[in-house]
Short mmCIF file of all heavy atoms in Angstrom, two decimals:
data_model
loop_
_atom_site.label_atom_id
_atom_site.label_comp_id
_atom_site.label_asym_id
_atom_site.label_seq_id
_atom_site.Cartn_x
_atom_site.Cartn_y
_atom_site.Cartn_z
N ARG B 200 -33.04 7.24 5.22
CA ARG B 200 -33.60 8.57 5.00
C ARG B 200 -34.15 9.21 6.25
O ARG B 200 -34.04 10.44 6.44
CB ARG B 200 -34.74 8.50 3.98
CG ARG B 200 -34.36 8.21 2.58
CD ARG B 200 -35.55 8.34 1.71
NE ARG B 200 -35.93 9.74 1.46
CZ ARG B 200 -35.52 10.45 0.46
NH1 ARG B 200 -34.78 9.89 -0.46
NH2 ARG B 200 -35.89 11.72 0.33
N HIS B 201 -34.82 8.43 7.10
CA HIS B 201 -35.54 9.00 8.20
C HIS B 201 -34.61 9.62 9.28
O HIS B 201 -35.07 10.42 10.11
CB HIS B 201 -36.45 8.01 8.84
CG HIS B 201 -35.79 6.89 9.51
ND1 HIS B 201 -35.45 5.69 8.85
CD2 HIS B 201 -35.30 6.72 10.78
CE1 HIS B 201 -34.83 4.90 9.67
NE2 HIS B 201 -34.71 5.51 10.84
N VAL B 202 -33.35 9.22 9.25
CA VAL B 202 -32.41 9.78 10.24
C VAL B 202 -31.95 11.12 9.77
O VAL B 202 -31.89 11.40 8.56
CB VAL B 202 -31.15 8.83 10.40
CG1 VAL B 202 -30.23 9.34 11.46
CG2 VAL B 202 -31.61 7.47 10.63
N THR B 203 -31.71 12.07 10.68
CA THR B 203 -31.23 13.39 10.26
C THR B 203 -29.84 13.61 10.82
O THR B 203 -29.67 14.26 11.88
CB THR B 203 -32.13 14.50 10.69
OG1 THR B 203 -32.39 14.30 12.12
CG2 THR B 203 -33.43 14.54 9.94
N PRO B 204 -28.78 13.11 10.16
CA PRO B 204 -27.43 13.39 10.61
C PRO B 204 -27.09 14.86 10.33
O PRO B 204 -27.58 15.43 9.36
CB PRO B 204 -26.58 12.49 9.75
CG PRO B 204 -27.40 12.12 8.58
CD PRO B 204 -28.83 12.32 8.93
N GLN B 205 -26.29 15.44 11.20
CA GLN B 205 -25.94 16.83 11.03
C GLN B 205 -24.42 17.00 10.87
O GLN B 205 -23.64 16.16 11.36
CB GLN B 205 -26.37 17.64 12.27
CG GLN B 205 -27.85 17.89 12.23
CD GLN B 205 -28.35 18.45 13.58
OE1 GLN B 205 -27.55 18.74 14.43
NE2 GLN B 205 -29.68 18.57 13.68
N VAL B 206 -24.03 18.04 10.19
CA VAL B 206 -22.62 18.35 10.04
C VAL B 206 -22.06 18.60 11.42
O VAL B 206 -22.65 19.36 12.22
CB VAL B 206 -22.44 19.55 9.13
CG1 VAL B 206 -20.96 19.99 9.18
CG2 VAL B 206 -22.86 19.31 7.75
N GLY B 207 -20.99 17.90 11.77
CA GLY B 207 -20.42 18.09 13.08
C GLY B 207 -20.66 16.91 14.00
O GLY B 207 -20.05 16.80 15.08
N ASP B 208 -21.55 16.02 13.61
CA ASP B 208 -21.80 14.82 14.43
C ASP B 208 -20.55 13.93 14.49
O ASP B 208 -19.83 13.79 13.51
CB ASP B 208 -22.97 14.00 13.82
CG ASP B 208 -24.34 14.54 14.26
OD1 ASP B 208 -24.31 15.49 15.09
OD2 ASP B 208 -25.34 14.08 13.74
N THR B 209 -20.40 13.26 15.61
CA THR B 209 -19.26 12.41 15.81
C THR B 209 -19.58 10.96 15.39
O THR B 209 -20.63 10.46 15.70
CB THR B 209 -18.81 12.40 17.26
OG1 THR B 209 -18.70 13.75 17.68
CG2 THR B 209 -17.50 11.69 17.46
N ILE B 210 -18.63 10.33 14.66
CA ILE B 210 -18.81 8.90 14.30
C ILE B 210 -17.82 8.12 15.15
O ILE B 210 -16.62 8.39 15.18
CB ILE B 210 -18.46 8.69 12.84
CG1 ILE B 210 -19.17 9.68 11.92
CG2 ILE B 210 -18.77 7.25 12.41
CD1 ILE B 210 -20.62 9.45 11.79
N VAL B 211 -18.36 7.06 15.84
CA VAL B 211 -17.46 6.18 16.61
C VAL B 211 -17.75 4.76 16.20
O VAL B 211 -18.76 4.44 15.58
CB VAL B 211 -17.69 6.34 18.14
CG1 VAL B 211 -17.30 7.72 18.60
CG2 VAL B 211 -19.12 6.02 18.49
N THR B 212 -16.81 3.81 16.54
CA THR B 212 -17.02 2.45 16.14
C THR B 212 -18.17 1.86 16.98
O THR B 212 -18.43 2.27 18.10
CB THR B 212 -15.77 1.59 16.43
OG1 THR B 212 -15.37 1.77 17.75
CG2 THR B 212 -14.66 2.01 15.49
N SER B 213 -18.86 0.87 16.40
CA SER B 213 -20.08 0.37 17.04
C SER B 213 -19.76 -0.84 17.94
O SER B 213 -20.50 -1.15 18.86
CB SER B 213 -21.07 -0.10 15.96
OG SER B 213 -20.51 -1.21 15.25
N GLY B 214 -18.63 -1.52 17.72
CA GLY B 214 -18.35 -2.67 18.53
C GLY B 214 -19.17 -3.90 18.12
O GLY B 214 -19.19 -4.92 18.80
N PHE B 215 -19.82 -3.81 16.95
CA PHE B 215 -20.66 -4.94 16.52
C PHE B 215 -19.87 -6.16 16.08
O PHE B 215 -20.26 -7.26 16.31
CB PHE B 215 -21.53 -4.44 15.37
CG PHE B 215 -22.88 -4.04 15.80
CD1 PHE B 215 -23.08 -3.65 17.10
CD2 PHE B 215 -23.95 -3.97 14.92
CE1 PHE B 215 -24.31 -3.21 17.54
CE2 PHE B 215 -25.17 -3.60 15.34
CZ PHE B 215 -25.39 -3.20 16.65
N ASN B 216 -18.75 -5.92 15.36
CA ASN B 216 -18.02 -7.06 14.83
C ASN B 216 -16.95 -7.55 15.81
O ASN B 216 -16.18 -8.41 15.45
CB ASN B 216 -17.39 -6.76 13.49
CG ASN B 216 -16.59 -5.46 13.51
OD1 ASN B 216 -16.30 -4.98 14.61
ND2 ASN B 216 -16.18 -5.02 12.34
N ALA B 217 -16.95 -6.99 17.04
CA ALA B 217 -16.04 -7.45 18.10
C ALA B 217 -14.55 -7.27 17.74
O ALA B 217 -13.73 -7.74 18.46
CB ALA B 217 -16.32 -8.89 18.50
N VAL B 218 -14.26 -6.61 16.62
CA VAL B 218 -12.87 -6.33 16.32
C VAL B 218 -12.46 -5.08 17.06
O VAL B 218 -11.57 -5.07 17.87
CB VAL B 218 -12.67 -6.14 14.79
CG1 VAL B 218 -11.24 -5.73 14.50
CG2 VAL B 218 -13.00 -7.41 14.07
N PHE B 219 -13.15 -3.97 16.76
CA PHE B 219 -12.88 -2.74 17.46
C PHE B 219 -13.69 -2.72 18.74
O PHE B 219 -14.84 -3.16 18.78
CB PHE B 219 -13.33 -1.53 16.61
CG PHE B 219 -12.40 -1.20 15.51
CD1 PHE B 219 -12.64 -1.57 14.18
CD2 PHE B 219 -11.21 -0.52 15.78
CE1 PHE B 219 -11.76 -1.29 13.18
CE2 PHE B 219 -10.33 -0.20 14.76
CZ PHE B 219 -10.61 -0.62 13.48
N PRO B 220 -13.13 -2.17 19.82
CA PRO B 220 -13.93 -1.90 21.01
C PRO B 220 -14.97 -0.84 20.68
O PRO B 220 -14.83 -0.12 19.71
CB PRO B 220 -12.94 -1.42 22.04
CG PRO B 220 -11.66 -1.32 21.37
CD PRO B 220 -11.74 -1.73 19.96
N GLU B 221 -16.01 -0.78 21.51
CA GLU B 221 -17.05 0.16 21.24
C GLU B 221 -16.56 1.60 21.47
O GLU B 221 -15.75 1.84 22.42
CB GLU B 221 -18.19 -0.12 22.24
CG GLU B 221 -19.54 0.19 21.72
CD GLU B 221 -20.58 -0.28 22.76
OE1 GLU B 221 -20.51 -1.44 23.15
OE2 GLU B 221 -21.42 0.55 23.13
N GLY B 222 -17.02 2.55 20.69
CA GLY B 222 -16.77 3.95 20.97
C GLY B 222 -15.42 4.47 20.64
O GLY B 222 -15.01 5.53 21.15
N VAL B 223 -14.67 3.83 19.74
CA VAL B 223 -13.40 4.40 19.30
C VAL B 223 -13.73 5.45 18.22
O VAL B 223 -14.46 5.25 17.29
CB VAL B 223 -12.49 3.33 18.68
CG1 VAL B 223 -11.24 3.96 18.11
CG2 VAL B 223 -12.12 2.29 19.69
N PHE B 224 -13.12 6.67 18.40
CA PHE B 224 -13.37 7.79 17.52
C PHE B 224 -12.95 7.47 16.08
O PHE B 224 -11.86 6.99 15.87
CB PHE B 224 -12.59 8.97 18.08
CG PHE B 224 -12.95 10.30 17.48
CD1 PHE B 224 -14.21 10.52 16.92
CD2 PHE B 224 -12.03 11.33 17.47
CE1 PHE B 224 -14.55 11.75 16.39
CE2 PHE B 224 -12.37 12.55 16.94
CZ PHE B 224 -13.59 12.77 16.38
N VAL B 225 -13.85 7.73 15.13
CA VAL B 225 -13.47 7.49 13.73
C VAL B 225 -13.36 8.81 12.99
O VAL B 225 -12.38 9.08 12.29
CB VAL B 225 -14.48 6.58 13.00
CG1 VAL B 225 -14.09 6.41 11.54
CG2 VAL B 225 -14.59 5.24 13.70
N GLY B 226 -14.37 9.68 13.13
CA GLY B 226 -14.30 10.92 12.44
C GLY B 226 -15.52 11.82 12.73
O GLY B 226 -16.32 11.50 13.60
N ILE B 227 -15.58 12.93 11.99
CA ILE B 227 -16.64 13.91 12.21
C ILE B 227 -17.34 14.15 10.88
O ILE B 227 -16.67 14.25 9.84
CB ILE B 227 -16.06 15.24 12.73
CG1 ILE B 227 -15.53 15.06 14.16
CG2 ILE B 227 -17.11 16.35 12.67
CD1 ILE B 227 -14.76 16.23 14.69
N ILE B 228 -18.65 14.24 10.89
CA ILE B 228 -19.41 14.51 9.63
C ILE B 228 -19.11 15.88 9.13
O ILE B 228 -19.19 16.85 9.86
CB ILE B 228 -20.90 14.28 9.88
CG1 ILE B 228 -21.22 12.85 10.26
CG2 ILE B 228 -21.68 14.69 8.67
CD1 ILE B 228 -22.68 12.58 10.45
N ARG B 229 -18.73 15.97 7.84
CA ARG B 229 -18.42 17.25 7.25
C ARG B 229 -19.44 17.62 6.18
O ARG B 229 -19.58 18.79 5.81
CB ARG B 229 -17.03 17.21 6.64
CG ARG B 229 -15.91 17.33 7.62
CD ARG B 229 -15.87 18.72 8.19
NE ARG B 229 -14.86 18.76 9.27
CZ ARG B 229 -15.11 19.12 10.54
NH1 ARG B 229 -16.34 19.45 10.85
NH2 ARG B 229 -14.17 19.08 11.47
N ASP B 230 -20.16 16.67 5.61
CA ASP B 230 -21.08 16.98 4.53
C ASP B 230 -22.17 15.94 4.47
O ASP B 230 -21.91 14.74 4.51
CB ASP B 230 -20.29 17.01 3.19
CG ASP B 230 -21.15 17.49 2.05
OD1 ASP B 230 -22.07 18.27 2.29
OD2 ASP B 230 -20.95 17.00 0.91
N VAL B 231 -23.44 16.37 4.39
CA VAL B 231 -24.54 15.43 4.30
C VAL B 231 -25.38 15.81 3.08
O VAL B 231 -25.76 16.96 2.90
CB VAL B 231 -25.45 15.47 5.55
CG1 VAL B 231 -26.55 14.48 5.42
CG2 VAL B 231 -24.66 15.23 6.79
N ARG B 232 -25.64 14.85 2.23
CA ARG B 232 -26.48 15.10 1.04
C ARG B 232 -27.51 13.97 0.95
O ARG B 232 -27.26 12.84 1.29
CB ARG B 232 -25.65 15.13 -0.26
CG ARG B 232 -25.11 16.55 -0.45
CD ARG B 232 -24.52 16.70 -1.81
NE ARG B 232 -23.39 17.63 -1.68
CZ ARG B 232 -22.23 17.41 -2.20
NH1 ARG B 232 -22.01 16.37 -2.98
NH2 ARG B 232 -21.27 18.29 -2.10
N LEU B 233 -28.70 14.36 0.48
CA LEU B 233 -29.78 13.36 0.28
C LEU B 233 -30.42 13.66 -1.02
O LEU B 233 -31.10 14.67 -1.21
CB LEU B 233 -30.77 13.48 1.43
CG LEU B 233 -31.88 12.42 1.44
CD1 LEU B 233 -31.28 11.03 1.51
CD2 LEU B 233 -32.82 12.68 2.62
N SER B 234 -30.23 12.76 -2.02
CA SER B 234 -30.89 12.98 -3.29
C SER B 234 -32.29 12.41 -3.25
O SER B 234 -32.63 11.64 -2.37
CB SER B 234 -30.07 12.36 -4.44
OG SER B 234 -29.69 11.08 -4.10
N GLU B 235 -33.14 12.81 -4.25
CA GLU B 235 -34.56 12.53 -4.22
C GLU B 235 -34.90 11.03 -4.01
O GLU B 235 -35.69 10.69 -3.12
CB GLU B 235 -35.18 12.98 -5.59
CG GLU B 235 -35.43 14.50 -5.64
CD GLU B 235 -36.52 14.91 -4.63
OE1 GLU B 235 -37.55 14.27 -4.56
OE2 GLU B 235 -36.29 15.93 -3.92
N GLU B 236 -34.31 10.16 -4.83
CA GLU B 236 -34.75 8.76 -4.81
C GLU B 236 -33.90 7.90 -3.89
O GLU B 236 -34.22 6.72 -3.69
CB GLU B 236 -34.73 8.17 -6.20
CG GLU B 236 -35.63 8.83 -7.21
CD GLU B 236 -34.92 9.96 -7.90
OE1 GLU B 236 -33.69 10.00 -7.88
OE2 GLU B 236 -35.62 10.83 -8.45
#
Side-chain angles (χ1 to χ4, degrees):
Chain B
R200 288 188 76 93
H201 67 269
V202 185
T203 50
Q205 284 169 7
V206 172
D208 277 354
T209 309
I210 311 288
V211 296
T212 54
S213 66
F215 265 22
N216 52 11
V218 175
F219 283 102
E221 212 176 309
V223 175
F224 192 25
V225 178
I227 292 172
I228 296 183
R229 283 289 174 238
D230 185 31
V231 181
R232 274 191 214 135
L233 184 60
S234 47
E235 281 294 315
E236 300 88 18

